[in-house]
Structures are given as structure tokens and as C-alpha cells.
Amino acid sequence: MKMKRSKRLEPVGEMAEGEERECAARVAGIQARLDDAQRRGTELKRYLVEYQSMFQQRAAAGIGVAGLRDYQTFLARLNEAVRHQDGVVAQLEADCARARVEWLEAAARKSAVSKVIAHARTEDQKIEDRRSQKETDEHAQRRGGAR
């Protein structure tokens, strides 16, 4: 007996489902890295504000040239760290957006394949019902003709 069309399509459905799962996991992974990078960025900005405030307080109270230079160097490095972290966040936001689009596309493919499989199952059932009805009719005809 020939394999039903819906059964032949099931591996395609499983592949589409697996692809959608992988895309969803990719989104979750990037989102977790993004959340972490945003937390780090917020922390760095908070440090920057704190150190700028401390610098202003110390400068107002009087600070030596060496202390002034050290603070300026440290603040410059902290500013650079903030800029770098902002770049990391921007890149992860872009990566996350791309991954979400890929996930939505994979989900749409999975949905389309699922609809095709469901339609094939319906068609397979109709074919099976017609075959069964034909057998029943033939059996009834043979019984009627044997009398």
C-alpha cells in the first residue's frame, strides 16, 4: 500500500518545527546577552556620574595637579568604556531584531507547512472514507448477488 501524503509530509513539518525552535532559542540567547549588556551599560553610566560628582567636589575643595590628571584620565577611560558598551548594546539590539525577524519567518513557514499537512490529512481521510465505502458497497453487492 502506498504511504499517505500526510505521512510523507510529516518530516517536512518536523524540520519546520525544529527550525522555528532553533530560531526562538537564538532570540532568547541574544536577548539574554542584550539584557546583560544593558545592565552593564547602566552600571557604567552610574559610575561615571558618581565619579564626575566626586571629581567636582574634590576640585571645588582643591586638588593637586597629579590628582586632577589622575581623575581626568580615569574619567576619560570610564567615558570610553561607556561608549564601547553603548556600541555593544546597539550591536546586540540589531542582532536581536534580525533574529526576531528570522524567528517570525520560521514560525510562518511552520504554520504554512502545518496547514498543508492538515489539508493532506483531511484529503487522506476523504480518500480512506471513499475506499471504505466502496468496499462496503462491493461487499453488500456480493452478498446480494449470492442469494
Side-chain angles (χ1 to χ4, degrees):
M1 185 175 157
K2 187 170 115 174
M3 183 187 286
K4 293 181 178 180
R5 183 170 171 249
S6 60
K7 285 288 181 200
R8 291 191 316 266
L9 289 171
E10 283 177 4
V12 177
E14 290 166 6
M15 282 176 44
E17 193 171 315
E19 180 187 2
E20 193 254 352
R21 253 193 322 271
E22 286 174 19
C23 288
R26 200 172 312 119
V27 168
I30 294 170
Q31 184 64 54
R33 292 195 328 262
L34 174 59
D35 293 345
D36 187 50
Q38 287 172 329
R39 269 191 301 279
R40 280 192 216 135
T42 300
E43 202 172 283
L44 283 169
K45 287 172 186 166
R46 187 174 51 80
Y47 288 150
L48 181 60
V49 168
E50 285 176 19
Y51 280 101
Q52 285 171 334
S53 176
M54 281 191 283
F55 172 70
Q56 289 171 351
Q57 290 171 5
R58 291 215 176 134
I63 189 171
V65 175
L68 180 65
R69 198 173 357 165
D70 289 345
Y71 253 105
Q72 287 175 332
T73 301
F74 181 72
L75 288 174
R77 285 185 181 152
L78 199 47
N79 260 315
E80 180 55 35
V82 167
R83 276 194 301 278
H84 174 74
Q85 194 62 28
D86 285 346
V88 168
V89 167
Q91 182 60 54
L92 285 169
E93 286 172 340
D95 292 349
C96 199
R98 268 192 303 280
R100 278 195 177 100
V101 167
E102 290 171 5
W103 176 38
L104 290 173
E105 289 170 350
R109 280 190 298 275
K110 180 186 114 181
S111 176
V113 168
S114 293
K115 286 177 185 174
V116 168
I117 292 171
H119 180 72
R121 281 190 183 119
T122 301
E123 289 300 310
D124 288 347
Q125 189 59 51
K126 285 179 185 176
I127 290 168
E128 182 61 29
D129 290 348
R130 281 193 296 261
R131 189 192 60 73
S132 180
Q133 183 62 48
K134 184 179 174 185
E135 284 178 8
T136 302
D137 292 348
E138 287 173 357
H139 181 69
Q141 216 173 26
R142 280 193 301 267
R143 273 200 358 233
R147 290 183 189 177

